[in-house]
Each structure stands twice: as structure tokens, then as C-alpha cells.
Amino acid sequence: MTAIETSPILRLTEDAQDLLFREARTANAFSAEPVTEEQVQAIYELVKWAPTAMNSQPLRVLLVRTPEARERLLTHMSEGNRAKTGTAPLVAVLAADTDFHEHLPTVFPHFPGAKDAFADPAPRAETARFNALLQAGYFVLGVRAAGLAAGPMAGFDAKGLDADFFPDGRLRSLIVVNIGNPAENAWFDRNPRLDYDQVVQSV
Ligand SMILES: Cc1cc2nc3c(=O)[nH]c(=O)nc-3n(C[C@H](O)[C@H](O)[C@H](O)COP(=O)(O)O)c2cc1C
């Protein structure tokens, strides 16, 4: 590990840095230990504070809890994602609420025109997607903060899933996330990350 990776500049403890980033991995297999409602609530109560444009908070989370719903979900997953989605203790569908603007008078009250600014459905759906995806990233880190492993997946038929689980069209699925404690050999090999100089430039 290089010096910069354990920099004392960071305010999080080394353990927290490891839990959230360095040692956290994308799990592909899980133990049978269940994920409780209390754990999911604790995750939400933490990540809800992370920022979104105009405090719009368009993320919606569908916990797929029943065996019947899990079976239906599997029919929409791509082949390579089916086995792990079938055996994860908990699966969450992260979706964007295209009518998030209905909450703006409450969550952004100092700007009374906020709701009306999103009267047009097309840009509203784009804002919903953009900000819910940000929140999806926060959610994955929240799962890690609870000591659990996440397996986010974009490999599924979103149109089919939405027609099945969100038939009124208001919610649009973004990512499906497997959640639980990792099984042994839950990981693919760790792949390299881009270097600072490949990513960051100054003007
Ligand atoms: C938005 C998103 C979509 C992903 N989709 C899939 C997927 O469909 N199937 C899969 O096996 N892994 C998927 N992954 C997992 C990534 O490949 C994995 O997180 C990345 O390679 C880093 O792996 P690591 O955490 O083990 O280092 C996805 C991850 C993200 C964040």
C-alpha cells in the first residue's frame, strides 16, 4: 500500500477507510445469514443525508423479500447475474421516482417555485435518474458502512422489470443490489484502479 493511500489527511479512521473502500469488495456469493429490516433502516437513515440537486431525493428502494417476487425478479436478470441474485439474503431494486417533484414543497421549502420548475416530464425524468444514481452510490457505501457486502448490477432487462414491478410507470429501475455477508470465495480478482494523474487535471 502506498503512503498516499493511508494518508493522515483523511479524517476517517483507517478501519473506516478499509470498511468503505480499500477492503470492501463487490460480492458475488453470500452466506445464508439474513439481512434485517433494522439493518436496512440504519443504512437509509445514514445515506439519506448525502446530497442531491435541490434536495430532490428521487431514489426509491424496493426490497424483494418474498420467494415469489424473487422468482419474478430473476426472470429479468441477465444470465450471469441470476445465480447470485437467486441466493443473496436480500435483493434491493434501486429506482428513480419520476414524480419526485411532488415532495419539493416539503424538502426544498425556501424555493416555492421548485415543484413547478419540473412540470415538464422529460427533463424531470432525467433529473430523477441523475440524482437517484448518485444516491445509489451512496446506498452502496451505506451497505458497506453496516459491515455488509453489496453486489450492484446493471445487467438486467429494465423495461421488463419496470413493467412487472412498477406498472404505473412512476418508478424506473436503475440498479439491482444483492446485499448480505459474503460467502467464501465471493470475489472476482481485484482489478486495478486508474491513477490520480489519469483522472485528475488542473487548469
Ligand atoms: C453500476 C454497476 C453495475 C454493475 N453491474 C454488474 C453486473 O451486471 N454484473 C456483475 O457481475 N457485476 C456488476 N457490477 C460489479 C462491478 O463489476 C464491480 O463493482 C467492479 O468491477 C469492482 O469490483 P470490486 O469491488 O470487487 O473491486 C456492477 C457495478 C456497478 C457499480
Side-chain angles (χ1 to χ4, degrees):
M1 205 170 280
T2 64
I4 196 75
E5 281 179 308
T6 56
S7 167
I9 291 168
L10 300 174
R11 298 279 297 272
L12 278 181
T13 65
E14 291 276 323
D15 283 351
Q17 293 171 37
D18 287 341
L19 184 72
L20 296 179
F21 296 103
R22 275 188 301 264
E23 288 180 8
R25 299 293 316 279
T26 301
N28 295 288
F30 297 87
S31 78
E33 197 177 334
V35 175
T36 66
E37 192 69 27
E38 290 71 26
Q39 285 175 302
V40 181
Q41 278 184 19
I43 291 164
Y44 179 70
E45 293 301 330
L46 179 66
V47 304
K48 72 180 184 183
W49 296 110
T52 49
M54 293 173 85
N55 201 25
S56 52
Q57 304 169 68
L59 179 72
R60 301 294 178 264
V61 180
L62 177 70
L63 302 176
V64 181
R65 289 238 185 244
T66 69
E68 176 273 329
R70 182 78 67 103
E71 279 307 312
R72 275 200 290 139
L73 177 67
L74 292 185
T75 66
H76 306 295
M77 300 305 296
S78 63
E79 182 69 40
N81 288 333
R82 230 167 257 156
K84 54 190 166 193
T85 308
T87 52
L90 180 63
V91 185
V93 177
L94 305 190
D97 181 1
T98 58
D99 286 341
F100 68 88
H101 66 316
E102 290 182 357
H103 295 285
L104 288 176
T106 309
V107 299
F108 209 59
H110 54 285
F111 179 14
K115 182 178 172 187
D116 295 340
F118 287 103
D120 189 347
R124 191 169 76 234
E126 176 54 28
T127 299
R129 180 178 167 78
F130 189 94
N131 285 278
L133 279 169
L134 267 181
Q135 289 186 284
Y138 305 145
F139 184 86
V140 168
L141 289 179
V143 169
R144 292 173 166 191
L148 296 167
M153 296 168 293
F156 62 94
D157 169 18
K159 278 210 171 99
L161 189 157
D162 290 353
D164 193 352
F165 287 89
F166 308 129
D168 69 6
R170 175 168 173 157
L171 301 191
R172 293 189 192 160
S173 59
L174 301 167
I175 299 175
V176 179
V177 187
N178 294 328
I179 303 170
N181 290 284
E184 276 179 43
N185 305 318
W187 328 116
F188 298 143
D189 289 341
R190 185 70 137 169
N191 284 317
R193 299 313 201 244
L194 298 179
D195 291 331
Y196 181 85
D197 291 342
Q198 294 174 287
V199 173
V200 180
Q201 55 180 322
S202 300
V203 290

PDB file of all heavy atoms in Angstrom, residues 24-26 28 78 80-81 84 144 152-155 175 188-191 193, ligand 1:
ATOM      1  N   ALA A  24     -13.358  -3.186   1.044  1.00  0.00           N
ATOM      2  CA  ALA A  24     -14.722  -3.500   0.594  1.00  0.00           C
ATOM      3  C   ALA A  24     -14.659  -3.998  -0.834  1.00  0.00           C
ATOM      4  O   ALA A  24     -13.946  -3.447  -1.661  1.00  0.00           O
ATOM      5  CB  ALA A  24     -15.590  -2.256   0.678  1.00  0.00           C
ATOM      6  N   ARG A  25     -15.387  -5.056  -1.097  1.00  0.00           N
ATOM      7  CA  ARG A  25     -15.370  -5.655  -2.424  1.00  0.00           C
ATOM      8  C   ARG A  25     -16.804  -5.883  -2.908  1.00  0.00           C
ATOM      9  O   ARG A  25     -17.747  -5.899  -2.129  1.00  0.00           O
ATOM     10  CB  ARG A  25     -14.641  -7.018  -2.377  1.00  0.00           C
ATOM     11  CG  ARG A  25     -13.184  -6.959  -1.942  1.00  0.00           C
ATOM     12  CD  ARG A  25     -12.306  -6.261  -2.942  1.00  0.00           C
ATOM     13  NE  ARG A  25     -12.569  -6.658  -4.308  1.00  0.00           N
ATOM     14  CZ  ARG A  25     -12.089  -7.760  -4.883  1.00  0.00           C
ATOM     15  NH1 ARG A  25     -11.295  -8.579  -4.218  1.00  0.00           N
ATOM     16  NH2 ARG A  25     -12.393  -8.057  -6.135  1.00  0.00           N
ATOM     17  N   THR A  26     -16.909  -6.081  -4.194  1.00  0.00           N
ATOM     18  CA  THR A  26     -18.198  -6.394  -4.800  1.00  0.00           C
ATOM     19  C   THR A  26     -18.431  -7.893  -4.665  1.00  0.00           C
ATOM     20  O   THR A  26     -17.740  -8.686  -5.307  1.00  0.00           O
ATOM     21  CB  THR A  26     -18.203  -5.971  -6.285  1.00  0.00           C
ATOM     22  OG1 THR A  26     -17.948  -4.571  -6.346  1.00  0.00           O
ATOM     23  CG2 THR A  26     -19.519  -6.299  -6.933  1.00  0.00           C
ATOM     24  N   ASN A  28     -20.018 -11.600  -4.952  1.00  0.00           N
ATOM     25  CA  ASN A  28     -20.726 -12.388  -5.961  1.00  0.00           C
ATOM     26  C   ASN A  28     -21.341 -13.661  -5.386  1.00  0.00           C
ATOM     27  O   ASN A  28     -21.957 -14.438  -6.116  1.00  0.00           O
ATOM     28  CB  ASN A  28     -19.764 -12.750  -7.097  1.00  0.00           C
ATOM     29  CG  ASN A  28     -19.306 -11.508  -7.839  1.00  0.00           C
ATOM     30  OD1 ASN A  28     -20.069 -10.904  -8.564  1.00  0.00           O
ATOM     31  ND2 ASN A  28     -18.074 -11.096  -7.623  1.00  0.00           N
ATOM     32  N   SER A  78     -29.969 -10.665 -16.201  1.00  0.00           N
ATOM     33  CA  SER A  78     -29.183 -11.304 -17.252  1.00  0.00           C
ATOM     34  C   SER A  78     -28.633 -12.622 -16.713  1.00  0.00           C
ATOM     35  O   SER A  78     -28.454 -12.791 -15.492  1.00  0.00           O
ATOM     36  CB  SER A  78     -28.081 -10.378 -17.744  1.00  0.00           C
ATOM     37  OG  SER A  78     -27.188 -10.102 -16.702  1.00  0.00           O
ATOM     38  N   GLY A  80     -25.830 -14.149 -16.386  1.00  0.00           N
ATOM     39  CA  GLY A  80     -24.689 -14.195 -15.471  1.00  0.00           C
ATOM     40  C   GLY A  80     -24.991 -13.649 -14.088  1.00  0.00           C
ATOM     41  O   GLY A  80     -24.206 -13.849 -13.159  1.00  0.00           O
ATOM     42  N   ASN A  81     -26.085 -12.948 -13.947  1.00  0.00           N
ATOM     43  CA  ASN A  81     -26.435 -12.366 -12.644  1.00  0.00           C
ATOM     44  C   ASN A  81     -27.490 -13.182 -11.900  1.00  0.00           C
ATOM     45  O   ASN A  81     -27.838 -12.854 -10.767  1.00  0.00           O
ATOM     46  CB  ASN A  81     -26.963 -10.936 -12.831  1.00  0.00           C
ATOM     47  CG  ASN A  81     -25.857  -9.970 -13.203  1.00  0.00           C
ATOM     48  OD1 ASN A  81     -24.699 -10.195 -12.864  1.00  0.00           O
ATOM     49  ND2 ASN A  81     -26.214  -8.887 -13.891  1.00  0.00           N
ATOM     50  N   LYS A  84     -26.441 -15.508  -8.405  1.00  0.00           N
ATOM     51  CA  LYS A  84     -26.154 -14.739  -7.182  1.00  0.00           C
ATOM     52  C   LYS A  84     -27.373 -13.949  -6.717  1.00  0.00           C
ATOM     53  O   LYS A  84     -27.582 -13.774  -5.520  1.00  0.00           O
ATOM     54  CB  LYS A  84     -24.937 -13.829  -7.373  1.00  0.00           C
ATOM     55  CG  LYS A  84     -24.964 -12.884  -8.540  1.00  0.00           C
ATOM     56  CD  LYS A  84     -23.574 -12.253  -8.718  1.00  0.00           C
ATOM     57  CE  LYS A  84     -23.433 -11.551 -10.055  1.00  0.00           C
ATOM     58  NZ  LYS A  84     -22.047 -11.212 -10.352  1.00  0.00           N
ATOM     59  N   ARG A 144     -21.950  -0.951   2.935  1.00  0.00           N
ATOM     60  CA  ARG A 144     -20.614  -1.271   3.441  1.00  0.00           C
ATOM     61  C   ARG A 144     -20.430  -0.739   4.861  1.00  0.00           C
ATOM     62  O   ARG A 144     -19.777  -1.386   5.690  1.00  0.00           O
ATOM     63  CB  ARG A 144     -19.569  -0.677   2.509  1.00  0.00           C
ATOM     64  CG  ARG A 144     -19.557  -1.348   1.150  1.00  0.00           C
ATOM     65  CD  ARG A 144     -18.649  -0.642   0.184  1.00  0.00           C
ATOM     66  NE  ARG A 144     -18.388  -1.455  -1.003  1.00  0.00           N
ATOM     67  CZ  ARG A 144     -17.473  -1.173  -1.914  1.00  0.00           C
ATOM     68  NH1 ARG A 144     -16.731  -0.086  -1.796  1.00  0.00           N
ATOM     69  NH2 ARG A 144     -17.289  -1.959  -2.951  1.00  0.00           N
ATOM     70  N   PRO A 152     -23.764  -4.613  -6.658  1.00  0.00           N
ATOM     71  CA  PRO A 152     -24.617  -3.836  -7.571  1.00  0.00           C
ATOM     72  C   PRO A 152     -24.583  -4.417  -8.974  1.00  0.00           C
ATOM     73  O   PRO A 152     -23.535  -4.883  -9.416  1.00  0.00           O
ATOM     74  CB  PRO A 152     -23.980  -2.429  -7.550  1.00  0.00           C
ATOM     75  CG  PRO A 152     -22.587  -2.623  -7.064  1.00  0.00           C
ATOM     76  CD  PRO A 152     -22.517  -3.925  -6.331  1.00  0.00           C
ATOM     77  N   MET A 153     -25.724  -4.386  -9.660  1.00  0.00           N
ATOM     78  CA  MET A 153     -25.808  -4.963 -11.011  1.00  0.00           C
ATOM     79  C   MET A 153     -26.667  -4.093 -11.922  1.00  0.00           C
ATOM     80  O   MET A 153     -27.787  -3.727 -11.561  1.00  0.00           O
ATOM     81  CB  MET A 153     -26.439  -6.359 -10.950  1.00  0.00           C
ATOM     82  CG  MET A 153     -25.630  -7.384 -10.183  1.00  0.00           C
ATOM     83  SD  MET A 153     -26.611  -8.857  -9.880  1.00  0.00           S
ATOM     84  CE  MET A 153     -27.836  -8.210  -8.751  1.00  0.00           C
ATOM     85  N   ALA A 154     -26.108  -3.816 -13.095  1.00  0.00           N
ATOM     86  CA  ALA A 154     -26.893  -3.133 -14.129  1.00  0.00           C
ATOM     87  C   ALA A 154     -27.333  -4.125 -15.204  1.00  0.00           C
ATOM     88  O   ALA A 154     -28.054  -3.741 -16.126  1.00  0.00           O
ATOM     89  CB  ALA A 154     -26.073  -2.012 -14.752  1.00  0.00           C
ATOM     90  N   GLY A 155     -26.909  -5.373 -15.069  1.00  0.00           N
ATOM     91  CA  GLY A 155     -27.228  -6.383 -16.067  1.00  0.00           C
ATOM     92  C   GLY A 155     -28.602  -6.996 -15.837  1.00  0.00           C
ATOM     93  O   GLY A 155     -28.741  -8.079 -15.253  1.00  0.00           O
ATOM     94  N   ILE A 175     -30.577   0.098 -10.774  1.00  0.00           N
ATOM     95  CA  ILE A 175     -29.595  -0.907 -10.377  1.00  0.00           C
ATOM     96  C   ILE A 175     -30.282  -1.907  -9.449  1.00  0.00           C
ATOM     97  O   ILE A 175     -31.124  -1.518  -8.630  1.00  0.00           O
ATOM     98  CB  ILE A 175     -28.416  -0.256  -9.610  1.00  0.00           C
ATOM     99  CG1 ILE A 175     -27.694   0.776 -10.489  1.00  0.00           C
ATOM    100  CG2 ILE A 175     -27.404  -1.292  -9.154  1.00  0.00           C
ATOM    101  CD1 ILE A 175     -26.617   1.532  -9.740  1.00  0.00           C
ATOM    102  N   PHE A 188     -14.382 -11.828  -7.337  1.00  0.00           N
ATOM    103  CA  PHE A 188     -13.527 -11.933  -8.512  1.00  0.00           C
ATOM    104  C   PHE A 188     -12.195 -11.292  -8.125  1.00  0.00           C
ATOM    105  O   PHE A 188     -12.084 -10.634  -7.084  1.00  0.00           O
ATOM    106  CB  PHE A 188     -14.145 -11.188  -9.698  1.00  0.00           C
ATOM    107  CG  PHE A 188     -15.484 -11.731 -10.139  1.00  0.00           C
ATOM    108  CD1 PHE A 188     -16.494 -10.880 -10.583  1.00  0.00           C
ATOM    109  CD2 PHE A 188     -15.743 -13.099 -10.128  1.00  0.00           C
ATOM    110  CE1 PHE A 188     -17.733 -11.380 -10.993  1.00  0.00           C
ATOM    111  CE2 PHE A 188     -16.971 -13.608 -10.538  1.00  0.00           C
ATOM    112  CZ  PHE A 188     -17.962 -12.744 -10.974  1.00  0.00           C
ATOM    113  N   ASP A 189     -11.163 -11.461  -8.964  1.00  0.00           N
ATOM    114  CA  ASP A 189      -9.882 -10.801  -8.673  1.00  0.00           C
ATOM    115  C   ASP A 189     -10.080  -9.291  -8.611  1.00  0.00           C
ATOM    116  O   ASP A 189     -10.873  -8.737  -9.369  1.00  0.00           O
ATOM    117  CB  ASP A 189      -8.856 -11.129  -9.763  1.00  0.00           C
ATOM    118  CG  ASP A 189      -8.405 -12.581  -9.682  1.00  0.00           C
ATOM    119  OD1 ASP A 189      -8.593 -13.199  -8.608  1.00  0.00           O
ATOM    120  OD2 ASP A 189      -7.889 -13.088 -10.693  1.00  0.00           O
ATOM    121  N   ARG A 190      -9.339  -8.658  -7.718  1.00  0.00           N
ATOM    122  CA  ARG A 190      -9.397  -7.203  -7.622  1.00  0.00           C
ATOM    123  C   ARG A 190      -8.733  -6.598  -8.855  1.00  0.00           C
ATOM    124  O   ARG A 190      -7.577  -6.925  -9.165  1.00  0.00           O
ATOM    125  CB  ARG A 190      -8.657  -6.764  -6.351  1.00  0.00           C
ATOM    126  CG  ARG A 190      -8.723  -5.282  -6.029  1.00  0.00           C
ATOM    127  CD  ARG A 190     -10.096  -4.844  -5.590  1.00  0.00           C
ATOM    128  NE  ARG A 190     -10.048  -3.939  -4.444  1.00  0.00           N
ATOM    129  CZ  ARG A 190     -11.095  -3.261  -4.009  1.00  0.00           C
ATOM    130  NH1 ARG A 190     -12.273  -3.348  -4.628  1.00  0.00           N
ATOM    131  NH2 ARG A 190     -10.998  -2.489  -2.937  1.00  0.00           N
ATOM    132  N   ASN A 191      -9.428  -5.767  -9.558  1.00  0.00           N
ATOM    133  CA  ASN A 191      -8.864  -5.138 -10.754  1.00  0.00           C
ATOM    134  C   ASN A 191      -8.248  -3.788 -10.412  1.00  0.00           C
ATOM    135  O   ASN A 191      -8.654  -3.139  -9.436  1.00  0.00           O
ATOM    136  CB  ASN A 191      -9.953  -4.967 -11.810  1.00  0.00           C
ATOM    137  CG  ASN A 191     -10.281  -6.285 -12.485  1.00  0.00           C
ATOM    138  OD1 ASN A 191      -9.380  -7.044 -12.825  1.00  0.00           O
ATOM    139  ND2 ASN A 191     -11.560  -6.557 -12.652  1.00  0.00           N
ATOM    140  N   ARG A 193      -7.197   0.168 -10.331  1.00  0.00           N
ATOM    141  CA  ARG A 193      -7.900   1.432 -10.471  1.00  0.00           C
ATOM    142  C   ARG A 193      -6.999   2.407 -11.224  1.00  0.00           C
ATOM    143  O   ARG A 193      -5.772   2.264 -11.237  1.00  0.00           O
ATOM    144  CB  ARG A 193      -8.249   2.020  -9.090  1.00  0.00           C
ATOM    145  CG  ARG A 193      -9.172   1.150  -8.219  1.00  0.00           C
ATOM    146  CD  ARG A 193     -10.382   0.607  -8.966  1.00  0.00           C
ATOM    147  NE  ARG A 193     -11.468   0.216  -8.078  1.00  0.00           N
ATOM    148  CZ  ARG A 193     -11.938  -1.013  -7.927  1.00  0.00           C
ATOM    149  NH1 ARG A 193     -11.410  -2.026  -8.610  1.00  0.00           N
ATOM    150  NH2 ARG A 193     -12.940  -1.253  -7.102  1.00  0.00           N
TER     151      ARG A 193
HETATM  152  C1  LIG B   1     -23.482   0.319 -11.630  1.00  0.00           C
HETATM  153  C2  LIG B   1     -22.828  -1.020 -11.534  1.00  0.00           C
HETATM  154  C3  LIG B   1     -23.276  -2.052 -12.338  1.00  0.00           C
HETATM  155  C4  LIG B   1     -22.692  -3.316 -12.242  1.00  0.00           C
HETATM  156  N1  LIG B   1     -23.255  -4.352 -12.953  1.00  0.00           N
HETATM  157  C5  LIG B   1     -22.803  -5.607 -12.733  1.00  0.00           C
HETATM  158  C6  LIG B   1     -23.465  -6.720 -13.312  1.00  0.00           C
HETATM  159  O1  LIG B   1     -24.477  -6.604 -14.020  1.00  0.00           O
HETATM  160  N2  LIG B   1     -22.974  -7.960 -13.054  1.00  0.00           N
HETATM  161  C7  LIG B   1     -21.870  -8.159 -12.259  1.00  0.00           C
HETATM  162  O2  LIG B   1     -21.481  -9.308 -12.043  1.00  0.00           O
HETATM  163  N3  LIG B   1     -21.230  -7.113 -11.685  1.00  0.00           N
HETATM  164  C8  LIG B   1     -21.673  -5.853 -11.893  1.00  0.00           C
HETATM  165  N4  LIG B   1     -21.056  -4.795 -11.270  1.00  0.00           N
HETATM  166  C9  LIG B   1     -19.877  -5.052 -10.416  1.00  0.00           C
HETATM  167  C10 LIG B   1     -18.582  -4.375 -10.898  1.00  0.00           C
HETATM  168  O3  LIG B   1     -18.015  -5.072 -11.958  1.00  0.00           O
HETATM  169  C11 LIG B   1     -17.624  -4.280  -9.704  1.00  0.00           C
HETATM  170  O4  LIG B   1     -18.226  -3.499  -8.711  1.00  0.00           O
HETATM  171  C12 LIG B   1     -16.282  -3.667 -10.060  1.00  0.00           C
HETATM  172  O5  LIG B   1     -15.614  -4.447 -11.003  1.00  0.00           O
HETATM  173  C13 LIG B   1     -15.385  -3.506  -8.823  1.00  0.00           C
HETATM  174  O6  LIG B   1     -15.187  -4.731  -8.194  1.00  0.00           O
HETATM  175  P1  LIG B   1     -14.509  -4.799  -6.740  1.00  0.00           P
HETATM  176  O7  LIG B   1     -15.407  -4.035  -5.816  1.00  0.00           O
HETATM  177  O8  LIG B   1     -14.502  -6.256  -6.375  1.00  0.00           O
HETATM  178  O9  LIG B   1     -13.161  -4.213  -6.835  1.00  0.00           O
HETATM  179  C14 LIG B   1     -21.612  -3.534 -11.358  1.00  0.00           C
HETATM  180  C15 LIG B   1     -21.170  -2.484 -10.538  1.00  0.00           C
HETATM  181  C16 LIG B   1     -21.770  -1.256 -10.605  1.00  0.00           C
HETATM  182  C17 LIG B   1     -21.304  -0.158  -9.678  1.00  0.00           C
END
